[in-house]
Amino acid sequence: MIARLAMGLALLFLLPSGRALAERPPVPVTVPSEIGGYDYDRGRDALIAGETVIALAAFDRSCAMGNMKSCYNAGLLNEDLFKTDADKTRRTTALASFDRACEGGFQRGCVAAAGYYRSALSGVQDLPRALVLLRRACEAWEADGCGDLAEMLHQGEGTAKDFEAARRFFILGCERGGRALNCFNAGLMALNGTGGPPDRLAGFDYYHRACRLGSAKACGNLALEYVQNDWNPEDFAIGKGLFKMACDKGEMIACKNLGYLAERADPGAAGKKQAARLYRQACDGGEGEGCRSLGILASDGIRAAGHKRDALGLYVRGCNLGSGRSCYNAGLMYLIGYRAPTQLHTGLGWFAAGCKIGDASSCGGAALAALWLGERDAAGGADKAARWVLYGRNLDPASPLLDSVSDYLAKRTAEPPTLQPDRG
């Protein structure tokens, strides 16, 4: 024991002093770091501070060192800059940065580059290359690569339309955590049975996902599915809540539908007043059907919707916003002279606008206006009326209004019976 202690003391005194230890060179330690990471961090910090030019320079340096995230970020910054200044060469620079990021394995760069190759405005449209890049990105698990590829297959961009493949890739884009639009389109195709058999449960699921990801349109479409079960108070309440959510997010057709539910729940003055407020919100937000519904309330004398004389203006506004049924109501008021002078030419113009938008009833109105005009001048006639009916039949072969108009035309244009001599 004493011998061991003596040995220990000897070793202790043989060690160098503290000063000697401090003067020894440190042992090199290898710390893994990202290529171009310093400039990447500088670019990120400058971007947060709003110093775009400094950020772009830093990302460019980092990209030149091989940092693919920096190449992608440099592309985004050049893209933003060419949107706000006259230097259109930045478009080419942005595409080059995205292409480099893609070739380096950063798949979001492939998706961004494909966007340029899809667009005719880019000056470098190359749809086959866009398809290649998006397939590569999707195979590498980039969700929005799958979603954009699905769009091209659905629309037939650079390839034959393939709804089955489009549906499959929209589902992949949703399942892998992509944007809300992928889930919305997956839900829409599942419910409509496009690219495969209808699947109501899957459609509901994808709409729910898209709604949670912020798609107001998905919330609104999901609400429609729920309120169809008006026999089920719980489902109806869920649908109403979803309409409210979509309306609050700016989906104006949802505000219009919420107004309809309010009117249906309380046909009295209070319900119509609440409906008028929601219809006005939808109309002011650019939804033509909201203007039409507000016009109907106004023509019914609901003061919250306006005066009766305001109805025509609301129908005209709705028609200009793309509501074919609003065009029909405007044309009808001129056709029959309701709170407006009878003007067949003007009525025909509004009916024609609605028919061209796709409203079969407006085609029927145009047929009547054309027939009556033919009795007064050469601007109309039975032949023109028949063409309007044919146009409407192409839109809706089962339209009851077109049936009535066809019967009316047949009676008005039938040859009078020939009188036979009395041979009695």
mmCIF file of all heavy atoms in Angstrom, residues 233-285:
data_model
loop_
_atom_site.group_PDB
_atom_site.id
_atom_site.type_symbol
_atom_site.label_atom_id
_atom_site.label_comp_id
_atom_site.label_asym_id
_atom_site.label_seq_id
_atom_site.Cartn_x
_atom_site.Cartn_y
_atom_site.Cartn_z
ATOM 1 N N PRO A 233 -80.393 16.343 -37.633
ATOM 2 C CA PRO A 233 -80.057 17.665 -37.064
ATOM 3 C C PRO A 233 -78.567 17.836 -36.778
ATOM 4 O O PRO A 233 -78.025 18.933 -36.939
ATOM 5 C CB PRO A 233 -80.884 17.708 -35.773
ATOM 6 C CG PRO A 233 -81.971 16.705 -35.972
ATOM 7 C CD PRO A 233 -81.390 15.632 -36.825
ATOM 8 N N GLU A 234 -77.904 16.757 -36.387
ATOM 9 C CA GLU A 234 -76.477 16.860 -36.057
ATOM 10 C C GLU A 234 -75.648 17.167 -37.304
ATOM 11 O O GLU A 234 -74.803 18.062 -37.303
ATOM 12 C CB GLU A 234 -75.998 15.559 -35.412
ATOM 13 C CG GLU A 234 -74.545 15.621 -34.941
ATOM 14 C CD GLU A 234 -74.109 14.349 -34.231
ATOM 15 O OE1 GLU A 234 -74.992 13.570 -33.819
ATOM 16 O OE2 GLU A 234 -72.899 14.147 -34.117
ATOM 17 N N ASP A 235 -75.928 16.437 -38.395
ATOM 18 C CA ASP A 235 -75.210 16.696 -39.649
ATOM 19 C C ASP A 235 -75.522 18.096 -40.172
ATOM 20 O O ASP A 235 -74.632 18.792 -40.681
ATOM 21 C CB ASP A 235 -75.600 15.658 -40.704
ATOM 22 C CG ASP A 235 -74.853 14.351 -40.529
ATOM 23 O OD1 ASP A 235 -74.053 14.263 -39.584
ATOM 24 O OD2 ASP A 235 -75.079 13.428 -41.317
ATOM 25 N N PHE A 236 -76.779 18.499 -40.060
ATOM 26 C CA PHE A 236 -77.173 19.816 -40.543
ATOM 27 C C PHE A 236 -76.424 20.903 -39.778
ATOM 28 O O PHE A 236 -75.948 21.884 -40.369
ATOM 29 C CB PHE A 236 -78.687 20.000 -40.390
ATOM 30 C CG PHE A 236 -79.216 21.211 -41.083
ATOM 31 C CD1 PHE A 236 -79.492 21.193 -42.443
ATOM 32 C CD2 PHE A 236 -79.431 22.391 -40.389
ATOM 33 C CE1 PHE A 236 -79.977 22.310 -43.093
ATOM 34 C CE2 PHE A 236 -79.916 23.520 -41.027
ATOM 35 C CZ PHE A 236 -80.191 23.481 -42.377
ATOM 36 N N ALA A 237 -76.283 20.731 -38.469
ATOM 37 C CA ALA A 237 -75.566 21.713 -37.654
ATOM 38 C C ALA A 237 -74.091 21.769 -38.037
ATOM 39 O O ALA A 237 -73.486 22.850 -38.088
ATOM 40 C CB ALA A 237 -75.715 21.369 -36.175
ATOM 41 N N ILE A 238 -73.493 20.592 -38.325
ATOM 42 C CA ILE A 238 -72.089 20.561 -38.761
ATOM 43 C C ILE A 238 -71.937 21.308 -40.083
ATOM 44 O O ILE A 238 -71.007 22.110 -40.268
ATOM 45 C CB ILE A 238 -71.596 19.113 -38.896
ATOM 46 C CG1 ILE A 238 -71.521 18.444 -37.524
ATOM 47 C CG2 ILE A 238 -70.226 19.075 -39.577
ATOM 48 C CD1 ILE A 238 -71.221 16.956 -37.583
ATOM 49 N N GLY A 239 -72.865 21.055 -41.020
ATOM 50 C CA GLY A 239 -72.810 21.727 -42.316
ATOM 51 C C GLY A 239 -72.923 23.236 -42.174
ATOM 52 O O GLY A 239 -72.192 23.998 -42.819
ATOM 53 N N LYS A 240 -73.826 23.678 -41.316
ATOM 54 C CA LYS A 240 -73.994 25.116 -41.103
ATOM 55 C C LYS A 240 -72.722 25.730 -40.527
ATOM 56 O O LYS A 240 -72.292 26.816 -40.938
ATOM 57 C CB LYS A 240 -75.176 25.349 -40.163
ATOM 58 C CG LYS A 240 -75.547 26.808 -39.990
ATOM 59 C CD LYS A 240 -76.793 26.950 -39.119
ATOM 60 C CE LYS A 240 -77.155 28.419 -38.901
ATOM 61 N NZ LYS A 240 -78.356 28.562 -38.047
ATOM 62 N N GLY A 241 -72.101 25.010 -39.595
ATOM 63 C CA GLY A 241 -70.843 25.498 -39.021
ATOM 64 C C GLY A 241 -69.732 25.581 -40.050
ATOM 65 O O GLY A 241 -68.928 26.514 -40.047
ATOM 66 N N LEU A 242 -69.692 24.607 -40.947
ATOM 67 C CA LEU A 242 -68.678 24.619 -41.997
ATOM 68 C C LEU A 242 -68.910 25.761 -42.986
ATOM 69 O O LEU A 242 -67.960 26.381 -43.464
ATOM 70 C CB LEU A 242 -68.663 23.271 -42.727
ATOM 71 C CG LEU A 242 -68.049 22.100 -41.953
ATOM 72 C CD1 LEU A 242 -68.376 20.782 -42.624
ATOM 73 C CD2 LEU A 242 -66.542 22.268 -41.832
ATOM 74 N N PHE A 243 -70.182 26.033 -43.306
ATOM 75 C CA PHE A 243 -70.477 27.180 -44.156
ATOM 76 C C PHE A 243 -69.984 28.466 -43.499
ATOM 77 O O PHE A 243 -69.423 29.350 -44.155
ATOM 78 C CB PHE A 243 -71.984 27.290 -44.419
ATOM 79 C CG PHE A 243 -72.470 26.493 -45.589
ATOM 80 C CD1 PHE A 243 -73.671 25.804 -45.523
ATOM 81 C CD2 PHE A 243 -71.750 26.443 -46.779
ATOM 82 C CE1 PHE A 243 -74.134 25.071 -46.607
ATOM 83 C CE2 PHE A 243 -72.200 25.708 -47.871
ATOM 84 C CZ PHE A 243 -73.405 25.023 -47.773
ATOM 85 N N LYS A 244 -70.210 28.569 -42.193
ATOM 86 C CA LYS A 244 -69.764 29.767 -41.452
ATOM 87 C C LYS A 244 -68.238 29.885 -41.511
ATOM 88 O O LYS A 244 -67.688 30.974 -41.742
ATOM 89 C CB LYS A 244 -70.237 29.661 -40.009
ATOM 90 C CG LYS A 244 -69.771 30.789 -39.089
ATOM 91 C CD LYS A 244 -70.469 32.098 -39.419
ATOM 92 C CE LYS A 244 -70.308 33.133 -38.313
ATOM 93 N NZ LYS A 244 -68.912 33.471 -38.014
ATOM 94 N N MET A 245 -67.562 28.762 -41.334
ATOM 95 C CA MET A 245 -66.095 28.761 -41.383
ATOM 96 C C MET A 245 -65.598 29.193 -42.764
ATOM 97 O O MET A 245 -64.695 30.025 -42.887
ATOM 98 C CB MET A 245 -65.564 27.359 -41.057
ATOM 99 C CG MET A 245 -64.057 27.260 -40.976
ATOM 100 S SD MET A 245 -63.511 25.527 -40.776
ATOM 101 C CE MET A 245 -64.369 25.086 -39.261
ATOM 102 N N ALA A 246 -66.212 28.635 -43.817
ATOM 103 C CA ALA A 246 -65.804 28.974 -45.187
ATOM 104 C C ALA A 246 -66.115 30.435 -45.497
ATOM 105 O O ALA A 246 -65.316 31.130 -46.137
ATOM 106 C CB ALA A 246 -66.504 28.057 -46.184
ATOM 107 N N CYS A 247 -67.273 30.903 -45.039
ATOM 108 C CA CYS A 247 -67.650 32.305 -45.264
ATOM 109 C C CYS A 247 -66.643 33.235 -44.588
ATOM 110 O O CYS A 247 -66.190 34.219 -45.183
ATOM 111 C CB CYS A 247 -69.062 32.542 -44.741
ATOM 112 S SG CYS A 247 -69.642 34.245 -44.882
ATOM 113 N N ASP A 248 -66.270 32.922 -43.355
ATOM 114 C CA ASP A 248 -65.305 33.746 -42.622
ATOM 115 C C ASP A 248 -63.935 33.753 -43.289
ATOM 116 O O ASP A 248 -63.159 34.703 -43.137
ATOM 117 C CB ASP A 248 -65.170 33.254 -41.177
ATOM 118 C CG ASP A 248 -66.418 33.513 -40.347
ATOM 119 O OD1 ASP A 248 -67.251 34.333 -40.770
ATOM 120 O OD2 ASP A 248 -66.572 32.892 -39.275
ATOM 121 N N LYS A 249 -63.629 32.684 -44.045
ATOM 122 C CA LYS A 249 -62.347 32.599 -44.745
ATOM 123 C C LYS A 249 -62.386 33.263 -46.113
ATOM 124 O O LYS A 249 -61.391 33.268 -46.832
ATOM 125 C CB LYS A 249 -61.931 31.129 -44.913
ATOM 126 C CG LYS A 249 -61.495 30.461 -43.617
ATOM 127 C CD LYS A 249 -61.095 29.017 -43.879
ATOM 128 C CE LYS A 249 -60.589 28.351 -42.606
ATOM 129 N NZ LYS A 249 -60.203 26.938 -42.834
ATOM 130 N N GLY A 250 -63.573 33.806 -46.486
ATOM 131 C CA GLY A 250 -63.648 34.536 -47.744
ATOM 132 C C GLY A 250 -64.280 33.795 -48.892
ATOM 133 O O GLY A 250 -64.249 34.276 -50.030
ATOM 134 N N GLU A 251 -64.863 32.620 -48.655
ATOM 135 C CA GLU A 251 -65.544 31.880 -49.711
ATOM 136 C C GLU A 251 -66.973 32.409 -49.823
ATOM 137 O O GLU A 251 -67.865 32.039 -49.058
ATOM 138 C CB GLU A 251 -65.541 30.379 -49.398
ATOM 139 C CG GLU A 251 -66.118 29.503 -50.476
ATOM 140 C CD GLU A 251 -65.278 29.449 -51.734
ATOM 141 O OE1 GLU A 251 -64.127 29.932 -51.745
ATOM 142 O OE2 GLU A 251 -65.779 28.915 -52.737
ATOM 143 N N MET A 252 -67.193 33.308 -50.789
ATOM 144 C CA MET A 252 -68.442 34.062 -50.826
ATOM 145 C C MET A 252 -69.658 33.206 -51.147
ATOM 146 O O MET A 252 -70.761 33.504 -50.701
ATOM 147 C CB MET A 252 -68.328 35.208 -51.831
ATOM 148 C CG MET A 252 -67.356 36.308 -51.399
ATOM 149 S SD MET A 252 -67.879 37.116 -49.862
ATOM 150 C CE MET A 252 -66.642 36.505 -48.708
ATOM 151 N N ILE A 253 -69.496 32.127 -51.911
ATOM 152 C CA ILE A 253 -70.643 31.259 -52.176
ATOM 153 C C ILE A 253 -71.106 30.605 -50.886
ATOM 154 O O ILE A 253 -72.300 30.295 -50.725
ATOM 155 C CB ILE A 253 -70.296 30.200 -53.258
ATOM 156 C CG1 ILE A 253 -71.557 29.452 -53.719
ATOM 157 C CG2 ILE A 253 -69.250 29.229 -52.756
ATOM 158 C CD1 ILE A 253 -72.581 30.305 -54.399
ATOM 159 N N ALA A 254 -70.187 30.401 -49.942
ATOM 160 C CA ALA A 254 -70.567 29.846 -48.642
ATOM 161 C C ALA A 254 -71.415 30.849 -47.866
ATOM 162 O O ALA A 254 -72.363 30.472 -47.171
ATOM 163 C CB ALA A 254 -69.329 29.456 -47.839
ATOM 164 N N CYS A 255 -71.092 32.146 -47.984
ATOM 165 C CA CYS A 255 -71.914 33.178 -47.336
ATOM 166 C C CYS A 255 -73.317 33.168 -47.934
ATOM 167 O O CYS A 255 -74.313 33.287 -47.207
ATOM 168 C CB CYS A 255 -71.276 34.552 -47.516
ATOM 169 S SG CYS A 255 -69.601 34.714 -46.875
ATOM 170 N N LYS A 256 -73.394 33.014 -49.247
ATOM 171 C CA LYS A 256 -74.708 32.960 -49.898
ATOM 172 C C LYS A 256 -75.485 31.750 -49.409
ATOM 173 O O LYS A 256 -76.678 31.841 -49.089
ATOM 174 C CB LYS A 256 -74.506 32.915 -51.418
ATOM 175 C CG LYS A 256 -75.790 32.927 -52.225
ATOM 176 C CD LYS A 256 -76.255 31.535 -52.558
ATOM 177 C CE LYS A 256 -77.616 31.572 -53.268
ATOM 178 N NZ LYS A 256 -78.174 30.206 -53.441
ATOM 179 N N ASN A 257 -74.837 30.585 -49.329
ATOM 180 C CA ASN A 257 -75.521 29.379 -48.863
ATOM 181 C C ASN A 257 -75.939 29.495 -47.403
ATOM 182 O O ASN A 257 -76.987 28.986 -47.006
ATOM 183 C CB ASN A 257 -74.617 28.163 -49.059
ATOM 184 C CG ASN A 257 -74.464 27.772 -50.516
ATOM 185 O OD1 ASN A 257 -75.329 28.058 -51.338
ATOM 186 N ND2 ASN A 257 -73.352 27.148 -50.858
ATOM 187 N N LEU A 258 -75.118 30.177 -46.618
ATOM 188 C CA LEU A 258 -75.475 30.397 -45.213
ATOM 189 C C LEU A 258 -76.728 31.270 -45.117
ATOM 190 O O LEU A 258 -77.592 31.052 -44.264
ATOM 191 C CB LEU A 258 -74.297 31.059 -44.493
ATOM 192 C CG LEU A 258 -74.263 31.001 -42.969
ATOM 193 C CD1 LEU A 258 -74.282 29.562 -42.475
ATOM 194 C CD2 LEU A 258 -73.013 31.709 -42.450
ATOM 195 N N GLY A 259 -76.840 32.237 -46.010
ATOM 196 C CA GLY A 259 -78.040 33.063 -46.066
ATOM 197 C C GLY A 259 -79.269 32.241 -46.420
ATOM 198 O O GLY A 259 -80.353 32.423 -45.846
ATOM 199 N N TYR A 260 -79.102 31.321 -47.356
ATOM 200 C CA TYR A 260 -80.216 30.454 -47.744
ATOM 201 C C TYR A 260 -80.681 29.615 -46.553
ATOM 202 O O TYR A 260 -81.890 29.450 -46.318
ATOM 203 C CB TYR A 260 -79.789 29.557 -48.901
ATOM 204 C CG TYR A 260 -80.776 28.448 -49.205
ATOM 205 C CD1 TYR A 260 -81.986 28.726 -49.834
ATOM 206 C CD2 TYR A 260 -80.498 27.130 -48.850
ATOM 207 C CE1 TYR A 260 -82.896 27.712 -50.093
ATOM 208 C CE2 TYR A 260 -81.400 26.119 -49.102
ATOM 209 C CZ TYR A 260 -82.594 26.413 -49.726
ATOM 210 O OH TYR A 260 -83.494 25.405 -49.976
ATOM 211 N N LEU A 261 -79.723 29.086 -45.776
ATOM 212 C CA LEU A 261 -80.088 28.295 -44.601
ATOM 213 C C LEU A 261 -80.821 29.149 -43.571
ATOM 214 O O LEU A 261 -81.780 28.687 -42.936
ATOM 215 C CB LEU A 261 -78.836 27.670 -43.966
ATOM 216 C CG LEU A 261 -78.096 26.607 -44.777
ATOM 217 C CD1 LEU A 261 -76.951 26.027 -43.955
ATOM 218 C CD2 LEU A 261 -79.041 25.494 -45.219
ATOM 219 N N ALA A 262 -80.363 30.394 -43.409
ATOM 220 C CA ALA A 262 -81.030 31.292 -42.457
ATOM 221 C C ALA A 262 -82.460 31.568 -42.899
ATOM 222 O O ALA A 262 -83.393 31.590 -42.076
ATOM 223 C CB ALA A 262 -80.251 32.597 -42.340
ATOM 224 N N GLU A 263 -82.659 31.757 -44.181
ATOM 225 C CA GLU A 263 -83.992 32.037 -44.722
ATOM 226 C C GLU A 263 -84.893 30.819 -44.590
ATOM 227 O O GLU A 263 -86.088 30.937 -44.281
ATOM 228 C CB GLU A 263 -83.861 32.454 -46.188
ATOM 229 C CG GLU A 263 -85.094 33.101 -46.769
ATOM 230 C CD GLU A 263 -84.861 33.601 -48.181
ATOM 231 O OE1 GLU A 263 -83.719 33.501 -48.687
ATOM 232 O OE2 GLU A 263 -85.836 34.084 -48.772
ATOM 233 N N ARG A 264 -84.313 29.645 -44.803
ATOM 234 C CA ARG A 264 -85.109 28.427 -44.707
ATOM 235 C C ARG A 264 -85.455 28.088 -43.260
ATOM 236 O O ARG A 264 -86.554 27.608 -42.968
ATOM 237 C CB ARG A 264 -84.352 27.263 -45.333
ATOM 238 C CG ARG A 264 -85.234 26.048 -45.599
ATOM 239 C CD ARG A 264 -84.476 24.965 -46.312
ATOM 240 N NE ARG A 264 -83.622 24.218 -45.399
ATOM 241 C CZ ARG A 264 -82.963 23.110 -45.761
ATOM 242 N NH1 ARG A 264 -83.034 22.681 -47.003
ATOM 243 N NH2 ARG A 264 -82.213 22.470 -44.895
ATOM 244 N N ALA A 265 -84.509 28.366 -42.344
ATOM 245 C CA ALA A 265 -84.766 28.063 -40.933
ATOM 246 C C ALA A 265 -85.826 28.972 -40.337
ATOM 247 O O ALA A 265 -86.575 28.568 -39.451
ATOM 248 C CB ALA A 265 -83.463 28.174 -40.134
ATOM 249 N N ASP A 266 -85.898 30.217 -40.823
ATOM 250 C CA ASP A 266 -86.877 31.178 -40.301
ATOM 251 C C ASP A 266 -87.440 31.970 -41.471
ATOM 252 O O ASP A 266 -86.866 32.986 -41.873
ATOM 253 C CB ASP A 266 -86.202 32.101 -39.277
ATOM 254 C CG ASP A 266 -87.174 33.123 -38.691
ATOM 255 O OD1 ASP A 266 -88.382 33.046 -39.008
ATOM 256 O OD2 ASP A 266 -86.722 33.995 -37.922
ATOM 257 N N PRO A 267 -88.578 31.535 -42.038
ATOM 258 C CA PRO A 267 -89.152 32.234 -43.197
ATOM 259 C C PRO A 267 -89.722 33.608 -42.845
ATOM 260 O O PRO A 267 -90.134 34.336 -43.754
ATOM 261 C CB PRO A 267 -90.280 31.288 -43.652
ATOM 262 C CG PRO A 267 -90.025 29.991 -42.968
ATOM 263 C CD PRO A 267 -89.326 30.322 -41.697
ATOM 264 N N GLY A 268 -89.715 33.962 -41.558
ATOM 265 C CA GLY A 268 -90.260 35.245 -41.145
ATOM 266 C C GLY A 268 -89.299 36.395 -41.388
ATOM 267 O O GLY A 268 -88.241 36.245 -42.009
ATOM 268 N N ALA A 269 -89.660 37.550 -40.837
ATOM 269 C CA ALA A 269 -88.885 38.765 -41.072
ATOM 270 C C ALA A 269 -87.465 38.656 -40.543
ATOM 271 O O ALA A 269 -86.513 39.118 -41.182
ATOM 272 C CB ALA A 269 -89.596 39.959 -40.442
ATOM 273 N N ALA A 270 -87.289 38.049 -39.361
ATOM 274 C CA ALA A 270 -85.957 37.958 -38.766
ATOM 275 C C ALA A 270 -85.023 37.113 -39.633
ATOM 276 O O ALA A 270 -83.860 37.481 -39.862
ATOM 277 C CB ALA A 270 -86.054 37.372 -37.360
ATOM 278 N N GLY A 271 -85.539 35.979 -40.125
ATOM 279 C CA GLY A 271 -84.709 35.112 -40.968
ATOM 280 C C GLY A 271 -84.334 35.781 -42.277
ATOM 281 O O GLY A 271 -83.195 35.667 -42.747
ATOM 282 N N LYS A 272 -85.283 36.495 -42.871
ATOM 283 C CA LYS A 272 -85.006 37.175 -44.141
ATOM 284 C C LYS A 272 -84.041 38.335 -43.948
ATOM 285 O O LYS A 272 -83.212 38.622 -44.820
ATOM 286 C CB LYS A 272 -86.312 37.651 -44.775
ATOM 287 C CG LYS A 272 -87.188 36.503 -45.282
ATOM 288 C CD LYS A 272 -88.387 37.003 -46.023
ATOM 289 C CE LYS A 272 -89.265 35.833 -46.486
ATOM 290 N NZ LYS A 272 -88.561 34.938 -47.437
ATOM 291 N N LYS A 273 -84.111 38.984 -42.799
ATOM 292 C CA LYS A 273 -83.178 40.076 -42.523
ATOM 293 C C LYS A 273 -81.750 39.538 -42.397
ATOM 294 O O LYS A 273 -80.805 40.123 -42.935
ATOM 295 C CB LYS A 273 -83.597 40.799 -41.241
ATOM 296 C CG LYS A 273 -82.721 41.991 -40.896
ATOM 297 C CD LYS A 273 -83.232 42.695 -39.645
ATOM 298 C CE LYS A 273 -82.348 43.901 -39.308
ATOM 299 N NZ LYS A 273 -82.847 44.595 -38.088
ATOM 300 N N GLN A 274 -81.616 38.425 -41.677
ATOM 301 C CA GLN A 274 -80.292 37.807 -41.542
ATOM 302 C C GLN A 274 -79.796 37.314 -42.898
ATOM 303 O O GLN A 274 -78.617 37.475 -43.244
ATOM 304 C CB GLN A 274 -80.358 36.641 -40.553
ATOM 305 C CG GLN A 274 -78.997 35.984 -40.298
ATOM 306 C CD GLN A 274 -79.101 34.787 -39.371
ATOM 307 O OE1 GLN A 274 -80.202 34.410 -38.944
ATOM 308 N NE2 GLN A 274 -77.975 34.176 -39.055
ATOM 309 N N ALA A 275 -80.705 36.724 -43.695
ATOM 310 C CA ALA A 275 -80.326 36.246 -45.021
ATOM 311 C C ALA A 275 -79.877 37.397 -45.907
ATOM 312 O O ALA A 275 -78.882 37.288 -46.642
ATOM 313 C CB ALA A 275 -81.502 35.510 -45.659
ATOM 314 N N ALA A 276 -80.585 38.529 -45.832
ATOM 315 C CA ALA A 276 -80.224 39.693 -46.650
ATOM 316 C C ALA A 276 -78.817 40.165 -46.333
ATOM 317 O O ALA A 276 -78.043 40.525 -47.232
ATOM 318 C CB ALA A 276 -81.233 40.812 -46.436
ATOM 319 N N ARG A 277 -78.456 40.149 -45.051
ATOM 320 C CA ARG A 277 -77.108 40.578 -44.654
ATOM 321 C C ARG A 277 -76.058 39.659 -45.276
ATOM 322 O O ARG A 277 -75.032 40.124 -45.798
ATOM 323 C CB ARG A 277 -76.994 40.576 -43.134
ATOM 324 C CG ARG A 277 -75.610 40.968 -42.617
ATOM 325 C CD ARG A 277 -75.535 40.899 -41.104
ATOM 326 N NE ARG A 277 -75.762 39.553 -40.605
ATOM 327 C CZ ARG A 277 -74.845 38.582 -40.591
ATOM 328 N NH1 ARG A 277 -73.633 38.804 -41.097
ATOM 329 N NH2 ARG A 277 -75.130 37.395 -40.102
ATOM 330 N N LEU A 278 -76.316 38.359 -45.247
ATOM 331 C CA LEU A 278 -75.352 37.403 -45.792
ATOM 332 C C LEU A 278 -75.315 37.461 -47.318
ATOM 333 O O LEU A 278 -74.244 37.357 -47.930
ATOM 334 C CB LEU A 278 -75.708 35.993 -45.310
ATOM 335 C CG LEU A 278 -75.438 35.754 -43.826
ATOM 336 C CD1 LEU A 278 -76.201 34.537 -43.322
ATOM 337 C CD2 LEU A 278 -73.941 35.581 -43.565
ATOM 338 N N TYR A 279 -76.480 37.633 -47.956
ATOM 339 C CA TYR A 279 -76.507 37.767 -49.407
ATOM 340 C C TYR A 279 -75.741 39.016 -49.851
ATOM 341 O O TYR A 279 -75.013 38.994 -50.843
ATOM 342 C CB TYR A 279 -77.944 37.862 -49.912
ATOM 343 C CG TYR A 279 -78.766 36.599 -49.765
ATOM 344 C CD1 TYR A 279 -80.156 36.663 -49.604
ATOM 345 C CD2 TYR A 279 -78.171 35.336 -49.811
ATOM 346 C CE1 TYR A 279 -80.925 35.512 -49.479
ATOM 347 C CE2 TYR A 279 -78.923 34.189 -49.675
ATOM 348 C CZ TYR A 279 -80.301 34.285 -49.507
ATOM 349 O OH TYR A 279 -81.062 33.144 -49.386
ATOM 350 N N ARG A 280 -75.907 40.090 -49.093
ATOM 351 C CA ARG A 280 -75.198 41.329 -49.446
ATOM 352 C C ARG A 280 -73.691 41.147 -49.290
ATOM 353 O O ARG A 280 -72.900 41.629 -50.107
ATOM 354 C CB ARG A 280 -75.690 42.485 -48.586
ATOM 355 C CG ARG A 280 -75.170 43.851 -49.063
ATOM 356 C CD ARG A 280 -75.740 44.987 -48.236
ATOM 357 N NE ARG A 280 -77.195 45.039 -48.304
ATOM 358 C CZ ARG A 280 -77.870 45.560 -49.316
ATOM 359 N NH1 ARG A 280 -77.219 46.058 -50.368
ATOM 360 N NH2 ARG A 280 -79.194 45.577 -49.300
ATOM 361 N N GLN A 281 -73.282 40.442 -48.235
ATOM 362 C CA GLN A 281 -71.859 40.170 -48.034
ATOM 363 C C GLN A 281 -71.298 39.385 -49.213
ATOM 364 O O GLN A 281 -70.206 39.683 -49.714
ATOM 365 C CB GLN A 281 -71.653 39.380 -46.729
ATOM 366 C CG GLN A 281 -70.200 39.060 -46.419
ATOM 367 C CD GLN A 281 -70.042 38.273 -45.120
ATOM 368 O OE1 GLN A 281 -70.998 38.107 -44.352
ATOM 369 N NE2 GLN A 281 -68.845 37.775 -44.864
ATOM 370 N N ALA A 282 -72.058 38.379 -49.670
ATOM 371 C CA ALA A 282 -71.606 37.572 -50.808
ATOM 372 C C ALA A 282 -71.563 38.406 -52.079
ATOM 373 O O ALA A 282 -70.602 38.326 -52.854
ATOM 374 C CB ALA A 282 -72.537 36.373 -50.995
ATOM 375 N N CYS A 283 -72.596 39.224 -52.293
ATOM 376 C CA CYS A 283 -72.655 40.062 -53.501
ATOM 377 C C CYS A 283 -71.507 41.059 -53.520
ATOM 378 O O CYS A 283 -70.818 41.208 -54.531
ATOM 379 C CB CYS A 283 -74.008 40.779 -53.543
ATOM 380 S SG CYS A 283 -74.250 41.829 -54.994
ATOM 381 N N ASP A 284 -71.284 41.740 -52.397
ATOM 382 C CA ASP A 284 -70.193 42.714 -52.316
ATOM 383 C C ASP A 284 -68.830 42.036 -52.464
ATOM 384 O O ASP A 284 -67.860 42.673 -52.883
ATOM 385 C CB ASP A 284 -70.251 43.469 -50.982
ATOM 386 C CG ASP A 284 -71.446 44.413 -50.908
ATOM 387 O OD1 ASP A 284 -72.041 44.705 -51.964
ATOM 388 O OD2 ASP A 284 -71.789 44.851 -49.783
ATOM 389 N N GLY A 285 -68.782 40.738 -52.123
ATOM 390 C CA GLY A 285 -67.530 39.990 -52.253
ATOM 391 C C GLY A 285 -67.316 39.407 -53.634
ATOM 392 O O GLY A 285 -66.330 38.690 -53.859
#
